[in-house]
Protein backbone atom coordinates (compact mmCIF):
# COMPACT_ATOMS: atom_id res chain seq x y z
CA UNK A 1 0.00 0.00 0.00
CA UNK A 2 2.80 2.44 0.88
CA UNK A 3 4.57 1.74 -2.39
CA UNK A 4 1.36 2.38 -4.33
CA UNK A 5 0.95 5.68 -2.53
CA UNK A 6 4.53 6.55 -3.43
CA UNK A 7 3.80 5.69 -7.06
CA UNK A 8 0.73 7.92 -6.99
CA UNK A 9 2.65 10.89 -5.61
CA UNK A 10 5.43 10.32 -8.10
CA UNK A 11 2.93 10.45 -10.97
CA UNK A 12 1.56 13.81 -9.80
CA UNK A 13 5.08 15.20 -9.29
CA UNK A 14 4.94 15.35 -5.50
CA UNK A 15 8.38 13.82 -5.11
CA UNK A 16 8.82 14.57 -1.40
CA UNK A 17 5.57 12.74 -0.65
CA UNK A 18 6.62 9.88 -2.92
CA UNK A 19 9.88 9.48 -1.03
CA UNK A 20 8.03 9.60 2.31
CA UNK A 21 5.77 6.70 1.29
CA UNK A 22 8.66 4.76 -0.21
CA UNK A 23 10.51 5.06 3.12
CA UNK A 24 7.39 3.70 4.81
CA UNK A 25 7.43 0.79 2.35
CA UNK A 26 11.09 0.11 3.21
CA UNK A 27 10.20 0.01 6.91
CA UNK A 28 7.42 -2.47 6.17
CA UNK A 29 9.73 -4.63 4.05
CA UNK A 30 12.15 -4.73 6.98
CA UNK A 31 9.38 -6.02 9.24
CA UNK A 32 8.38 -8.78 6.82
CA UNK A 33 11.97 -9.48 5.70
CA UNK A 34 11.29 -9.11 1.98
CA UNK A 35 14.57 -8.30 0.22
CA UNK A 36 13.00 -8.27 -3.24
CA UNK A 37 10.37 -5.68 -2.32
CA UNK A 38 12.92 -3.64 -0.39
CA UNK A 39 15.28 -3.63 -3.38
CA UNK A 40 12.51 -2.50 -5.70
CA UNK A 41 11.54 0.26 -3.29
CA UNK A 42 15.13 1.49 -3.05
CA UNK A 43 15.18 1.56 -6.84
CA UNK A 44 12.08 3.75 -6.81
CA UNK A 45 13.67 6.13 -4.32
CA UNK A 46 16.75 6.30 -6.54
CA UNK A 47 14.51 7.08 -9.49
CA UNK A 48 12.91 9.99 -7.64
CA UNK A 49 16.35 11.45 -6.92
CA UNK A 50 17.36 10.98 -10.57
CA UNK A 51 14.46 13.21 -11.64
CA UNK A 52 16.16 16.11 -9.89
CA UNK A 53 19.55 14.98 -11.23
CA UNK A 54 20.83 14.29 -7.72
CA UNK A 55 23.18 11.60 -8.99
CA UNK A 56 24.93 10.98 -5.67
CA UNK A 57 21.65 10.20 -3.89
CA UNK A 58 20.49 8.18 -6.89
CA UNK A 59 23.70 6.17 -6.71
CA UNK A 60 23.32 5.67 -2.95
CA UNK A 61 19.84 4.17 -3.33
CA UNK A 62 20.70 2.10 -6.38
CA UNK A 63 23.58 0.56 -4.40
CA UNK A 64 21.15 -0.25 -1.58
CA UNK A 65 18.79 -1.78 -4.13
CA UNK A 66 21.59 -3.97 -5.48
CA UNK A 67 22.46 -5.19 -1.97
CA UNK A 68 18.87 -6.27 -1.40
CA UNK A 69 18.49 -7.79 -4.83
CA UNK A 70 21.65 -9.82 -4.30
CA UNK A 71 19.94 -11.32 -1.24
CA UNK A 72 16.84 -12.14 -3.32
CA UNK A 73 18.98 -13.58 -6.15
CA UNK A 74 16.58 -12.82 -9.01
CA UNK A 75 18.83 -12.38 -12.05
CA UNK A 76 16.56 -10.06 -14.02
CA UNK A 77 16.37 -7.69 -11.05
CA UNK A 78 20.14 -7.90 -10.59
CA UNK A 79 20.41 -6.90 -14.24
CA UNK A 80 18.14 -3.92 -13.61
CA UNK A 81 20.21 -2.78 -10.64
CA UNK A 82 23.53 -3.05 -12.45
CA UNK A 83 22.12 -1.18 -15.45
CA UNK A 84 20.79 1.54 -13.14
CA UNK A 85 24.21 1.81 -11.53
CA UNK A 86 25.82 1.99 -14.96
CA UNK A 87 23.56 4.90 -15.82
CA UNK A 88 24.49 6.62 -12.57
CA UNK A 89 28.18 6.26 -13.24
CA UNK A 90 27.70 7.65 -16.75
CA UNK A 91 26.11 10.75 -15.25
CA UNK A 92 29.00 11.02 -12.77
CA UNK A 93 31.50 10.69 -15.66
CA UNK A 94 33.01 7.50 -14.20
CA UNK A 95 33.01 5.67 -17.50
CA UNK A 96 35.15 2.70 -16.46
CA UNK A 97 32.84 1.80 -13.58
CA UNK A 98 29.81 2.48 -15.77
CA UNK A 99 31.07 0.00 -18.37
CA UNK A 100 31.75 -2.64 -15.70
CA UNK A 101 28.24 -2.28 -14.28
CA UNK A 102 26.59 -2.36 -17.70
CA UNK A 103 28.53 -5.51 -18.60
CA UNK A 104 27.34 -7.20 -15.39
CA UNK A 105 23.81 -6.03 -16.06
CA UNK A 106 23.93 -7.39 -19.58
CA UNK A 107 25.27 -10.74 -18.38
CA UNK A 108 22.43 -11.11 -15.86
CA UNK A 109 19.95 -10.07 -18.56
CA UNK A 110 21.24 -12.81 -20.86
CA UNK A 111 21.23 -15.40 -18.06
CA UNK A 112 17.63 -14.55 -17.20
CA UNK A 113 16.54 -14.27 -20.86
CA UNK A 114 15.17 -10.81 -20.13
CA UNK A 115 14.70 -9.18 -23.50
CA UNK A 116 13.77 -5.89 -21.83
CA UNK A 117 17.05 -5.69 -19.94
CA UNK A 118 19.11 -7.00 -22.85
CA UNK A 119 17.78 -4.13 -24.94
CA UNK A 120 18.35 -1.69 -22.10
CA UNK A 121 21.94 -2.90 -21.74
CA UNK A 122 22.69 -1.99 -25.35
CA UNK A 123 20.98 1.35 -24.91
CA UNK A 124 23.14 2.00 -21.83
CA UNK A 125 26.26 0.99 -23.78
CA UNK A 126 25.25 3.39 -26.56
CA UNK A 127 24.71 6.17 -24.03
CA UNK A 128 28.11 5.46 -22.47
CA UNK A 129 30.04 5.32 -25.73
CA UNK A 130 28.29 8.41 -27.05
CA UNK A 131 29.20 10.36 -23.93
CA UNK A 132 32.79 9.15 -24.32
CA UNK A 133 32.78 10.44 -27.92
CA UNK A 134 32.98 6.98 -29.51
CA UNK A 135 30.00 7.44 -31.82
CA UNK A 136 30.88 4.48 -34.03
CA UNK A 137 30.67 2.07 -31.11
CA UNK A 138 27.52 3.80 -29.84
CA UNK A 139 25.92 3.31 -33.25
CA UNK A 140 26.88 -0.38 -33.25
CA UNK A 141 25.16 -0.91 -29.91
CA UNK A 142 22.01 0.88 -31.06
CA UNK A 143 22.02 -1.23 -34.23
CA UNK A 144 21.93 -4.36 -32.08
CA UNK A 145 18.82 -3.01 -30.36
CA UNK A 146 17.20 -2.45 -33.73
CA UNK A 147 18.12 -5.95 -34.90
CA UNK A 148 16.59 -7.43 -31.78
CA UNK A 149 13.30 -5.69 -32.51
CA UNK A 150 13.37 -6.78 -36.16
CA UNK A 151 14.57 -10.36 -35.81
CA UNK A 152 13.72 -11.33 -32.25
CA UNK A 153 15.61 -12.38 -29.17
CA UNK A 154 17.28 -15.52 -30.58
CA UNK A 155 19.02 -13.51 -33.31
CA UNK A 156 20.03 -10.95 -30.74
CA UNK A 157 21.50 -13.49 -28.33
CA UNK A 158 23.41 -15.18 -31.17
CA UNK A 159 24.91 -11.85 -32.25
CA UNK A 160 25.98 -11.08 -28.69
CA UNK A 161 27.63 -14.45 -28.20
CA UNK A 162 29.37 -14.43 -31.61
Amino acid sequence: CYSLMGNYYLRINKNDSAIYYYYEAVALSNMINDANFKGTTYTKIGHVYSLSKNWKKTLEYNKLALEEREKAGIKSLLSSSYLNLGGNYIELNDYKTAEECIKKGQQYALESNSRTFILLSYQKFAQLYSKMGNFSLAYTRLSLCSDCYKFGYHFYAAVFQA
Side-chain angles (χ1 to χ4, degrees):
C1 183
Y2 291 123
S3 184
L4 294 175
M5 290 296 293
N7 294 345
Y8 167 75
Y9 281 109
L10 182 61
R11 273 191 220 122
I12 63 168
N13 297 316
K14 302 276 186 186
N15 294 351
D16 290 339
S17 295
I19 288 175
Y20 169 81
Y21 282 104
Y22 290 145
Y23 281 141
E24 292 296 316
V26 167
L28 178 62
S29 66
N30 283 331
M31 291 189 319
I32 62 174
N33 197 28
D34 187 341
N36 182 35
F37 181 69
K38 189 174 179 183
T40 298
T41 305
Y42 280 142
T43 297
K44 290 178 180 184
I45 295 170
H47 175 69
V48 174
Y49 284 116
S50 76
L51 296 173
S52 61
K53 300 189 184 310
N54 186 339
W55 302 118
K56 290 185 179 185
K57 285 297 250 186
T58 302
L59 182 63
E60 174 187 341
Y61 281 95
N62 281 329
K63 284 181 176 180
L64 290 170
L66 177 61
E67 287 177 24
E68 295 302 320
R69 287 174 166 179
E70 285 175 335
K71 292 176 192 173
I74 300 170
K75 290 182 179 184
S76 61
L77 295 179
L78 287 167
S79 173
S80 173
S81 284
Y82 276 111
L83 295 173
N84 287 339
L85 286 168
N88 287 151
Y89 285 114
I90 291 170
E91 294 299 335
L92 294 169
N93 299 317
D94 183 349
Y95 302 138
K96 182 180 179 197
T97 306
E99 188 172 43
E100 291 169 2
C101 288
I102 296 167
K103 282 180 182 177
K104 285 181 185 177
Q106 185 177 62
Q107 186 59 43
Y108 280 119
L110 288 165
E111 290 175 13
S112 63
N113 294 318
S114 173
R115 184 175 178 181
T116 298
F117 293 126
I118 292 168
L119 288 169
L120 183 59
S121 72
Y122 279 109
Q123 291 167 356
K124 292 287 184 184
F125 274 126
Q127 179 186 5
L128 170 65
Y129 297 138
S130 178
K131 198 142 186 217
M132 293 171 67
N134 189 339
F135 300 110
S136 175
L137 198 51
Y139 176 78
T140 301
R141 295 306 185 250
L142 286 177
S143 294
L144 289 170
C145 287
S146 176
D147 290 343
C148 183
Y149 282 117
K150 287 183 205 171
F151 304 114
Y153 169 76
H154 298 293
F155 169 83
Y156 193 58
V159 168
F160 176 73
Q161 294 172 355

